[in-house]
């Protein structure tokens, strides 16, 4: 089975721009979660989508948004970029079934640099 | 709220040494516990998991036991290799209340010298 894929792998943007990141989950997985990884704050949960609906949300400003399509692929958008948004953005997929056996599998990440 | 605390790194060991990375958690409900590993320039790989008290997760020589009485999930390996050099993250989920959301510790960098 193919793993979680993320595109692009690297991005450079300037302050004030917006960016869209894409994530394709493992075939058959219906849940996609997004995380931000920075040296200072570590790994922080952004949001989770399941069956095209946002199921969980972390403590990030409204500039961070996402969506999920009917094929479970997900996109994350960040508007009005700030220098502090520079980070590795990781996507994870899982079956999304409620219960202790569900496991998150991560993609390689998108490295976003904001200048 | 739920949280995870890991021992700070970096941890430097010689090849074939014994490894312990401490992890403690605070959680309500019935969390599942995980160890993930991140190699340079890559995403996170699931190393092992445990879903209930006294469960032992194991993979590639690594082990961790879910201890509810001490709220701990320490990672151990009897003999480390240079190829084990990476950053290790302890994490928990509350699958019945918070779906797929993972809460991570701050990560522990391991460096193994030949």
């Amino acid at each position: 089975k193919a793993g979680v894929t993320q595109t692009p792998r690297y991005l450079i943007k300037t302050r004030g721009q917006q960016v869209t990141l894409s994530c394709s989950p493992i075939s058959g997985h219906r849940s996609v979660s997004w995380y931000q990884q920075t040296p200072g704050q570590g790994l922080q949960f952004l949001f989770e989508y399941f069956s095209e609906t946002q199921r969980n949300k972390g403590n990030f400003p409204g500039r961070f948004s996402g969506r999920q399509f009917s094929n479970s692929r997900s996109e994350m958008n960040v508007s009005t970029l700030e220098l502090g948004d520079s980070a590795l953005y990781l996507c994870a997929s899982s079956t999304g079934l409620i219960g202790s056996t569900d496991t998150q599998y991560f993609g390689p990440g998108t490295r976003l640099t904001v200048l | 709220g739920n949280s995870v605390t890991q021992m700070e790194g970096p941890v430097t060991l010689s090849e074939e040494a014994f490894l312990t990375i401490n992890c403690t958690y605070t959680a309500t409900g019935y969390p599942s516990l995980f160890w993930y590993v991140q190699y340079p320039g890559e995403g996170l790989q699931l190393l092992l998991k445990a879903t209930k008290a006294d469960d032992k997760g194991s993979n590639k020589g690594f082990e961790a036991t879910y201890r509810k009485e001490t709220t701990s999930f320490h990672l151990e390996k009897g003999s480390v290799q240079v190829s084990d050099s990476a950053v290790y993250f302890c994490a928990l989920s509350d699958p019945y209340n918070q779906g797929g959301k993972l809460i991570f510790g701050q990560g522990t960098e391991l460096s193994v010298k030949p």
Side-chain angles (χ1 to χ4, degrees):
Chain A
K1 243 183 198 180
V4 179
T5 58
Q6 292 187 243
T7 56
R9 292 292 311 276
Y10 302 91
L11 264 179
I12 300 175
K13 294 286 188 179
T14 57
R15 278 180 298 174
Q17 287 187 311
Q18 74 165 19
V19 67
T20 299
L21 313 182
S22 180
C23 172
S24 293
I26 292 170
S27 177
H29 283 187
R30 294 167 63 192
S31 168
V32 173
S33 298
W34 289 89
Y35 295 82
Q36 181 195 64
Q37 185 178 23
T38 60
Q41 299 298 317
L43 280 154
Q44 295 185 287
F45 173 77
L46 280 153
F47 29 66
E48 177 195 12
Y49 284 87
F50 177 76
S51 291
E52 302 179 65
T53 301
Q54 188 179 85
R55 186 161 72 172
N56 276 299
K57 188 177 187 305
N59 296 322
F60 278 81
R63 301 185 297 106
F64 292 82
S65 63
R67 60 178 175 168
Q68 186 179 36
F69 303 95
S70 58
N71 61 358
S72 294
R73 190 177 70 86
S74 177
E75 288 182 347
M76 191 191 97
N77 184 275
V78 187
S79 62
T80 319
L81 283 166
E82 301 177 358
L83 294 179
D85 298 332
S86 294
L88 181 66
Y89 290 88
L90 292 163
C91 159
S93 81
S94 72
T95 62
L97 299 175
I98 298 297
S100 60
T101 58
D102 202 26
T103 301
Q104 305 281 314
Y105 295 93
F106 283 81
T110 294
R111 172 74 64 185
L112 172 64
T113 302
V114 182
L115 303 176
Chain B
N2 297 343
S3 66
V4 176
T5 302
Q6 283 180 241
M7 64 185 282
E8 290 195 19
V11 173
T12 302
L13 295 173
S14 298
E15 208 166 22
E16 299 184 4
F18 184 85
L19 168 71
T20 300
I21 300 178
N22 290 337
C23 171
T24 57
Y25 68 90
T26 301
T28 55
Y30 302 93
S32 294
L33 300 173
F34 305 84
W35 278 100
Y36 283 87
V37 59
Q38 187 175 36
Y39 297 99
E42 298 184 12
L44 300 177
Q45 295 179 25
L46 176 68
L47 185 57
L48 52 84
K49 70 175 188 179
T51 59
K52 61 182 187 298
D54 299 325
D55 264 4
K56 177 186 279 190
S58 61
N59 186 27
K60 299 180 181 179
F62 291 90
E63 293 183 339
T65 302
Y66 188 162
R67 301 279 188 209
K68 194 171 173 65
E69 63 277 14
T70 54
T71 61
S72 65
F73 193 55
H74 305 321
L75 182 68
E76 296 182 336
K77 187 176 185 186
S79 176
V80 294
Q81 305 301 312
V82 172
S83 57
D84 294 327
S85 298
V87 181
Y88 292 80
F89 292 92
C90 184
L92 73 79
S93 71
D94 183 1
Y96 294 97
N97 295 305
Q98 296 190 322
K101 176 181 177 180
L102 283 168
I103 295 171
F104 287 91
Q106 63 268 45
T108 302
E109 183 180 359
L110 170 66
S111 176
V112 181
K113 305 298 184 188

